[in-house]
Amino acid sequence: MPAIAFRPRLLDALRGYNRALLRADLMAGVTVGIVALPLAMAFAIASGVPPQAGIFTAVIAGALAAALGGTRLCVTGPTGAFIVILYGIVSKYGVANLLICTFMAGAMLVLMGVCRLGQVIRFFPMPLITGFTNGIAVLIFLTQLKDFFGLPIAKMPSGFFAVIAELSRHFSGLHWPTTLLSSALLLLILLWPRRLNRLLPSPFAALVLATLATMLFDLPVATLGSRFGGIPQGLPAPAGLDLNPAHLSDLLAPAFTIALLGAIESLLCAVVVDSLTADRHDANQELIGQGIANMVVPFFGGIPATGAVVRSVTNIGNGARTPLAAVFHAALLLLVLLLAAPLAAHVPLAALAAILVSVALKMGDWDIRKARQFPRHDTLVLVVTFVLTVAFDLTVAVEIGLLMAAVFFIRSMASHTGFRRLLPEHAQLFERHSIAGKSVPDGCAAFRVEGALFFGAADSVDIILREAPRARAVILQLHRLVLLDTSGLLALEALRARLAEQGKTLILCGAADEVMAMLEGSRLAERLGEGNLQPDLTSALRRAEAVLTDGVVWG
């Protein structure tokens, strides 16, 4: 495997950088920073960690991924996709082990990039991605109902059934001031005019208005100050990770889930950005950049980060030109930490809950009419992945969803593999091969192999023995064979051996370059015998005539 060239997109962007580009990047970065501030705090709280952890993540990971990644305009930070996973890790293993999981996931992302797995990750089927994205959206919605309605729940459990049971037990304790405030803010976010969104993003507007209302009217609602004591000013000093080797095996699975989801989210975000800008990202470099960012943030108390579609689209819409726009977004958040951290104590939790409920509503693809356009097996993958994500675990959902998608794909590929017998009346075919007026020689049977001859369809070669029991020479035309694997080679070898036992000859012809290379590189070409691997049908038919005339059997 060739070594990957480590070349962040920022290096290319800095060539010819000028004042006009700086102005455009700075304005875009400031706007994205305003969007990111409430989201970073909301995602952190929903993940079971203090609000400042989200801001630390957006600052550090946002700057590092922009500087070291393989995209030009993507913005990195904490995202809603991680909430359910992170909350489960914190509930089961604690915050210290979440930091270790984040570091391990970052190392896995770097390894994915070094091993050039960037393109492979993008081949995850869309029904699978839609299924777990909708499932995550439902779980985010449910976990925010506690703060949205001000329910007297000390700590939300993890797991769908436990959350439903806890909400049902405490729903009679609904707090009306909190409910009215969060409902008003949710309507404000959802109904905020698009033309104003570029000037003042709706989540930030909701955060500012809710904070001012809480300060001016002394609203009886829970705030960041009452729950967390506010947020500290500035970034913390880096600290070591509290590594317990006994937990490493337990943390491997959740770390891999974080890495896999982070890779999918980041590369999907890169694809969206490419579609809007006619750009082309470097998937492997992006995985390395994201991995390094996630390896660094745990030392500052941060949580996993990935490319964020909404922030990236906002970045593009506000005129960003280079990765420095994302660096400026991180710088603005750092400035907020340094100058305005004391004001965060007045931010009501209802505002952050309303923001996350709006994220959940916008995050999912709820148009069920689209399912009518899907093949039934794709709809089944989507539904099963959705149900497993909501009811059980994202890791299980992805594993089973991938397995189902793979099985359906194999079955579909196998169903498109066929052997079409070439009969004497196929005059046009034989005219093209300069043997017009002649049919297939007596004692010869010719077949065209179509599709893929692989482990899922290798047993289909038995059709040939049934279709031509009296033929003494069998021709397989391979020019429409798109895939041949080891199982397919073994099936051809078994066919050759069975024909040879009966004194018959197998002739292969018309193979494409890759298939021909496999045939010649295996022992099959040698066992076929000299002259029984031909470049085209004309040569194969002439070879069959010679074999039948001479009575020679090869193999």
Side-chain angles (χ1 to χ4, degrees):
M1 182 178 63
I4 187 169
F6 183 82
R7 187 171 182 81
R9 287 296 298 273
L10 182 61
L11 296 179
D12 298 325
L14 289 177
R15 289 185 299 182
Y17 200 76
N18 54 40
R19 185 175 298 178
L21 293 175
L22 174 62
R23 187 183 304 112
D25 286 340
L26 186 59
M27 293 302 296
V30 169
T31 305
V32 176
I34 292 173
V35 174
L37 178 62
L39 292 176
M41 292 190 292
F43 290 147
I45 293 172
S47 299
V49 297
Q52 61 266 25
I55 303 179
F56 298 160
T57 302
V59 171
I60 297 167
L64 285 176
L68 303 176
T71 62
R72 188 166 60 92
L73 298 177
C74 284
V75 178
T76 294
T79 65
F82 285 127
I83 288 176
V84 179
I85 303 169
L86 304 189
Y87 191 84
I89 295 172
V90 171
S91 299
K92 190 171 183 179
Y93 301 108
V95 175
N97 284 314
L98 171 62
L99 301 181
I100 294 171
C101 272
T102 305
F103 179 86
M104 292 168 64
M108 292 177 188
L109 284 169
V110 172
L111 187 61
M112 288 179 190
V114 171
C115 294
R116 298 181 174 273
L117 296 180
Q119 300 302 322
V120 175
I121 298 293
R122 289 174 56 187
F123 294 148
F124 273 53
M126 192 53 64
L128 174 72
I129 294 173
T130 302
F132 76 65
T133 300
N134 283 10
I136 290 170
V138 169
L139 292 173
I140 292 173
F141 179 85
L142 290 175
T143 57
Q144 293 311 298
L145 296 182
K146 166 183 172 288
D147 289 331
F148 191 91
F149 294 113
L151 302 180
I153 301 174
K155 183 180 180 182
M156 287 289 284
S158 61
F160 172 76
F161 298 106
V163 168
I164 293 295
E166 193 74 4
L167 291 173
S168 300
R169 280 197 297 269
H170 293 89
F171 201 77
S172 58
L174 180 146
H175 188 248
W176 281 107
T178 300
T179 302
L180 292 174
L181 176 62
S182 56
S183 300
L185 293 173
L186 179 60
L187 288 174
L188 173 70
I189 294 170
L190 296 178
L191 301 178
W192 190 256
R194 288 188 177 183
R195 64 179 182 276
L196 296 180
N197 218 40
R198 286 190 64 175
L199 299 174
L200 186 62
S202 57
F204 187 76
L207 183 74
V208 170
L209 290 175
T211 304
L212 289 175
T214 303
M215 293 173 62
L216 295 176
F217 301 108
D218 195 22
L219 298 180
V221 295
T223 64
L224 290 182
S226 64
R227 176 77 62 84
F228 300 100
I231 60 176
Q233 286 184 283
L235 290 175
L241 302 181
D242 186 11
L243 178 62
N244 185 346
H247 287 159
L248 278 180
S249 59
D250 296 328
L251 299 179
L252 191 61
F256 179 74
T257 303
I258 293 172
L260 186 61
L261 185 57
I264 295 171
E265 286 278 305
S266 293
L267 297 181
L268 283 178
C269 178
V271 170
V272 171
V273 168
D274 284 355
S275 69
L276 295 175
T277 60
D279 204 356
R280 187 173 182 179
H281 70 277
D282 182 338
N284 297 311
Q285 182 65 47
E286 180 66 8
L287 289 179
I288 293 174
Q290 293 287 342
I292 293 173
N294 279 281
M295 290 177 70
V296 173
V297 290
F299 294 99
F300 294 87
I303 58 178
T306 184
V309 174
V310 173
R311 275 157 276 180
S312 300
V313 172
T314 303
N315 194 36
I316 296 167
N318 285 275
R321 304 289 295 278
T322 76
L324 283 178
V327 176
F328 292 144
H329 125 274
L332 176 72
L333 293 175
L334 178 59
L335 194 63
V336 169
L337 274 177
L338 294 172
L339 302 180
L343 296 176
H346 302 285
V347 173
L349 296 178
L352 300 178
I355 290 170
L356 281 185
V357 168
S358 71
V359 168
L361 293 175
K362 296 175 182 178
M363 180 180 178
D365 186 353
W366 310 113
D367 188 357
I368 60 175
R369 294 174 297 179
K370 292 181 180 179
R372 299 176 185 173
Q373 305 171 12
F374 295 165
R376 289 184 178 179
H377 57 79
D378 281 348
T379 302
L380 183 61
V381 170
L382 190 157
V383 171
V384 169
T385 305
F386 171 78
V387 171
L388 291 176
T389 300
V390 172
F392 295 100
D393 180 73
L394 178 63
T395 306
V396 174
V398 171
E399 289 173 350
I400 294 180
L402 273 177
L403 179 61
M404 289 178 62
V407 169
F408 287 135
F409 175 76
I410 292 169
R411 191 179 71 174
S412 176
M413 288 285 288
S415 68
H416 286 84
T417 298
F419 295 85
R420 180 184 179 187
R421 186 163 184 178
L422 304 179
L423 300 174
E425 55 265 29
H426 294 153
Q428 291 182 347
L429 171 67
F430 297 122
E431 286 172 5
R432 288 201 301 271
H433 291 278
S434 303
I435 52 174
K438 292 185 180 181
S439 64
V440 178
D442 292 335
C444 175
F447 295 85
R448 175 188 294 155
V449 186
E450 299 179 342
L453 190 56
F454 67 119
F455 64 90
D459 60 349
S460 57
V461 297
D462 293 340
I463 297 172
I464 295 170
L465 296 172
R466 296 196 301 268
E467 287 286 324
R470 297 179 182 176
R472 290 184 291 122
V474 175
I475 298 173
L476 295 188
Q477 187 186 29
L478 305 180
H479 75 288
R480 291 189 181 177
L481 182 64
V482 297
L483 173 66
L484 178 67
D485 70 355
T486 302
S487 297
L489 278 172
L490 292 174
L492 290 176
E493 165 59 23
L495 175 63
R496 181 210 63 79
R498 290 177 66 179
L499 290 173
E501 288 174 1
Q502 301 170 19
K504 301 175 181 180
T505 302
L506 176 63
I507 303 169
L508 305 182
C509 70
D513 291 344
E514 290 187 7
V515 174
M516 182 63 78
M518 287 194 67
L519 293 172
E520 292 176 343
S522 68
R523 298 184 64 184
L524 178 58
E526 178 185 342
R527 290 179 175 177
L528 279 174
E530 184 179 353
N532 291 333
L533 187 58
Q534 295 291 335
D536 53 46
L537 183 57
T538 300
S539 304
L541 287 168
R542 290 174 176 163
R543 174 61 182 169
E545 286 186 301
V547 168
L548 294 170
T549 301
D550 298 339
V552 178
V553 177
W554 293 88

